[in-house]
Structures are given as C-alpha cells and as structure tokens.
Amino acid sequence: MHDQEACPACTNGSADLLRYMRLCVGVLLMVGGCAAPPRQAYDALEARRTQIVGFENIRIHIDDPRPFQSGDDPWRPVTSKAQPAMLAMSGGGAGGAFSVGILSAWSELGTRPKFDVVTGVSTGALIAPLAFLGPAYDQRLRELYLSDHARDLVDLDWRGFGIFSPSLLRGDALRRMVAENITDDILRRIALEHRAGRRLLVMTTNLDTQRAVVWNIGAMADSGSQHALALVRQVLVASASVPGILPPVSIKAVVDGKEIEELHSDGGSSAQFFTLPEQLIIAPRAKGKEKLHIYVIINNALIPEFAMSPERAFPIMARAYAILLKTHTRQGLMALYNFAQHSDVDLDIASIDAQVPYSMTDPLNHHYMTSVYLIGYRRTVANRLWVKRPLFTKAGFRQAGEL
C-alpha cells in the first residue's frame, strides 16, 4: 500500500489542495461581501397594492381587466383620425436595427404615419421614444444602431463572468446610453405629445410577481414629478435588460407606508411584443369610420434558421432559447391575427425574412446590424415589407443582400 504520509509528493499535493480550497473559500467570501444587501421582504398580497410615490395611473399589468373609462383617460388615445394607427416594436437585441431601417425608409418615402400609439419591448422599448417623436430623430436612431459605439454596450462583469453576480454585463454602458438619449428636452416633447392625445407605452417584467407591467411613458413625462426623468430611464433600461445578460433594475415602490424594491427586467420574458385590446385603444367605432390599423415590427427572424449546433452547454442553451423566442413570438402573432380578424382591425406585420449570420459571442456585431437595417430599409422602399398574416416559413430563404 502506498504510504501517503511518508511520500513527500503526496504531502505537498495535499498541502497544495488545502491551500487551493482555502483560496476558493476566501474568494467566495469576498464575492459574498460585495453582494447587494437583501431587499425589504414583501408578499404577493402587498405586491398587488404597491404604488410609485408621486405618480398615479402610470402602469398596469397587461393581464389586468380594465373597464371602459370615460373622460380624461391617460391610457386611451384622443384622436379625430378616420383610421388611428398603432406601432408595436418587438425585442430582438441588435435586430432593433431592422426597425430603424424601416422607420428611415418610411420617412424618406413620406408615407410614415404619425402613430396614435407606439409600444416597445426590450430593444423596441429603446427605439420607441424616438420613433414616437417622429422622423426628426431617425438620424439619432441610426447612430445608436449602426455606429461602432454599439459595441461599447458590452461591458463584461468580471466577477466570475456572472457566476457570482446578477448578470454577464454590468449594464453601466446601457444606463449611460439611455441617459444620453432620454434627456429633459426629450421628456418634455413626449409630454407635449401625450397632452395632444398620443400614447407611448413600454413593457417590463416584474421578476417578483412574474407579471408583465405596461408603463405609460407619456403620463410619466406629463406627471410634473421631479423624479419622472429618472423613472422613465429606469423603465427603459429594465425593459431591455435580458435576464442573466444585464442586471435587473430595482424600482422603489410603497405599500402600506413600507418602502420596497421591485425587480424589473426584460419585457421580452413576458411577450416579444404587445398591443392592447381595441377597447383600450379607441372608443367604439362610429358607423362609417375606418378601422384601427396596427403595424407590428418583429426585430427577429420567424423563419427557421439552419446552423450546426456545437455540442457544448452554452451554445446549446443559447440555441434552445432562440427557438423558445421564435415559438413565443409566433404564438403572439397568431393570437393577434385572430383578434384582428374578429375585431375588424387592419393588421400589417414585418419581420426579418432572410437568414443573416449571427453569433451569441458577438451580440452587437456591426455587420449583422447593418445587414438587418438594409433588409428593413430596402423592403420598405420596394414596398415588399408588410404581410397581412403571420408567415413562419419561406421557400428558398433570401440571402441578406437580396430584396
């Protein structure tokens, strides 16, 4: 039998192992010491009654039943148009460049509606405020999605690559980007449009309650609260914070005099895009009036995209997650299509209908964003963008450079 105690190699090896274990424990203790303090505990009953101090009627759960309200309703657009128009933009990360391409071409053609309602989820939420304010902000959107500065948003959190932290990225760069583009002047302009009857809505997911929350950005901007700008920025960052990739956003609320912190993250966890039932969008249509027109931009591909999957954990999980998102989006579109058919709503859908090379290890790749921008731009100019019903397959997939 080998005598470990008498063997210098084994003795040294045991000592090295012991030192290594002590080092690991020390690192874990240091990381634990850097962790955020625990939040104030609250329960499900309290969660239903939380309020944001200084704001009233600026958020609802997407599954809340909301009866018809007369009078001054900050959720219902006020319009005299024969055909009110709504724009809903989905999540999709770098795929948001697809929406930017559509909006740019639409503006150049002079056919872009002045939307009565604009909604956004995730990357769509970041685009929504500037899209809501109109073509004057197209150049700023192009700079955000087409310049090399987009890569600056990848700010890795080196604390174990997210193993010991809430996310892989710190999120500081995203917060700076939102702060630079959502300014006091932008908020004032959104408030003016809200007063004119237009509505800007963004969705987050409350991680505590597992419910989707719709935020009325226009009502927040028009609230008069000194905290409006900070809260709007928080909501936009939260909507774009994909769980595990970017840290969730802590939003302070109050219930029964107790201050608590809700954790909000990517609205895409709940739905990749959202619209609202017709009764929340316009009053019942008078005889002879035209119907509501909803435009939905999916900043992703709905068609199957072939790629050999590496037999490693992270690529497999990423691939499976992409499949889940496609399925989620398809189901949402089918539900919306059925709703539109039964409610006499005019529906137009756009999605990325060409397979563009993409890598999860380079999420804000300049070539990818330029390619999907051009798909949106060229399809719009050629009047070959919108479809009236969801299409999930395409014979002979187009390449990215083709119309």
Side-chain angles (χ1 to χ4, degrees):
M1 181 180 292
H2 182 63
D3 188 349
Q4 291 186 341
E5 293 183 356
C7 177
C10 289
T11 302
N12 291 339
S14 298
D16 289 342
L17 178 60
L18 182 60
R19 282 194 293 270
Y20 176 74
M21 291 176 67
R22 286 172 177 168
L23 176 62
C24 290
V25 171
V27 170
L28 288 172
L29 288 174
M30 285 189 292
V31 170
C34 296
R39 292 183 290 146
Q40 171 73 49
Y42 70 112
D43 59 32
L45 292 177
E46 290 175 317
R48 296 176 186 173
R49 296 182 286 106
T50 57
Q51 300 291 329
I52 308 294
V53 176
F55 298 89
E56 292 183 7
N57 200 15
I58 52 96
R59 64 177 186 172
I60 59 172
H61 292 100
I62 202 164
D63 54 356
D64 280 342
R66 276 183 59 84
F68 177 84
Q69 295 184 16
S70 58
D72 184 19
D73 183 355
W75 292 88
R76 188 186 308 282
V78 179
T79 178
S80 58
K81 290 182 183 177
Q83 188 173 33
M86 179 183 200
L87 173 65
M89 290 176 289
S90 83
F98 178 64
S99 279
V100 176
I102 293 171
L103 292 168
S104 296
W106 227 345
S107 298
E108 290 181 23
L109 291 171
T111 56
R112 176 172 164 180
K114 185 172 183 178
F115 295 101
D116 300 278
V117 182
V118 175
T119 75
V121 175
S122 200
T123 194
L126 299 179
I127 298 169
L130 300 181
F132 179 74
L133 293 180
Y137 294 88
D138 288 351
Q139 179 56 33
R140 187 176 298 192
L141 284 172
R142 286 191 291 269
E143 290 172 359
L144 287 174
Y145 280 84
L146 299 181
S147 72
D148 288 332
H149 296 306
R151 287 180 179 269
D152 296 338
L153 294 177
V154 183
D155 53 351
L156 285 174
D157 189 332
W158 294 102
R159 292 175 293 171
F161 289 101
I163 297 174
F164 303 117
S165 63
S167 58
L168 291 172
L169 305 183
R170 294 192 302 272
D172 296 337
L174 176 61
R175 287 189 289 273
R176 282 196 302 271
M177 185 272 282
V178 170
E180 288 169 1
N181 289 278
I182 305 300
T183 61
D184 282 310
D185 180 62
I186 293 293
L187 203 68
R188 181 181 62 81
R189 293 173 185 271
I190 291 173
L192 288 173
E193 294 298 330
H194 179 78
R195 282 176 224 156
R198 300 176 66 219
R199 302 294 179 249
L200 172 60
L201 311 174
V202 162
M203 189 168 74
T204 66
T205 299
N206 185 323
L207 293 177
D208 298 328
T209 64
Q210 293 188 330
R211 298 177 75 188
V213 182
V214 178
W215 300 80
N216 190 327
I217 303 297
M220 294 157 68
D222 196 34
S223 66
S225 171
Q226 62 179 335
H227 304 298
L229 180 61
L231 182 59
V232 167
R233 287 172 173 172
Q234 280 188 303
V235 168
L236 295 177
V237 170
S239 184
S241 294
V242 178
I245 304 299
L246 287 157
V249 174
S250 175
I251 296 180
K252 291 183 178 180
V254 171
V255 57
D256 299 333
K258 177 173 69 176
E259 186 176 274
I260 56 100
E261 294 182 7
E262 303 172 344
L263 278 189
H264 289 258
S265 70
D266 184 18
S269 300
S270 299
Q272 280 295 292
F273 69 94
F274 77 98
T275 59
L276 293 177
E278 187 178 21
Q279 63 267 26
L280 294 181
I281 302 302
I282 54 171
R285 186 161 59 96
K287 188 175 181 179
K289 289 273 188 177
E290 293 187 54
K291 52 192 174 184
L292 172 67
H293 197 153
I294 299 178
Y295 297 87
V296 180
I297 301 178
I298 303 299
N299 293 306
N300 220 322
L302 297 176
I303 59 175
E305 297 173 285
F306 178 84
M308 292 287 291
S309 300
E311 295 185 76
R312 295 190 301 276
F314 182 74
I316 289 173
M317 287 189 292
R319 187 72 172 169
Y321 182 66
I323 295 169
L324 178 64
L325 289 184
K326 280 182 190 285
T327 303
H328 202 189
T329 307
R330 291 170 178 175
Q331 291 172 344
L333 284 173
M334 288 306 300
L336 176 61
Y337 174 74
N338 290 331
F339 168 78
Q341 292 295 299
H342 289 94
S343 304
D344 198 27
V345 168
D346 196 359
L347 177 63
D348 275 302
I349 302 167
S351 64
I352 300 172
D353 63 350
Q355 184 165 350
V356 183
Y358 178 80
S359 171
M360 289 291 291
T361 60
D362 189 11
L364 296 175
N365 180 273
H366 180 71
H367 174 74
Y368 175 81
M369 289 191 286
T370 301
S371 296
V372 297
Y373 170 89
L374 290 174
I375 291 172
Y377 182 90
R378 290 171 177 170
R379 301 276 199 275
T380 304
V381 169
N383 196 28
R384 297 178 59 185
L385 178 73
W386 304 104
V387 295
K388 291 294 184 182
R389 60 182 301 159
L391 297 176
F392 304 138
T393 60
K394 207 164 193 69
F397 298 152
R398 294 176 177 133
Q399 296 301 310
E402 297 177 339
L403 279 177

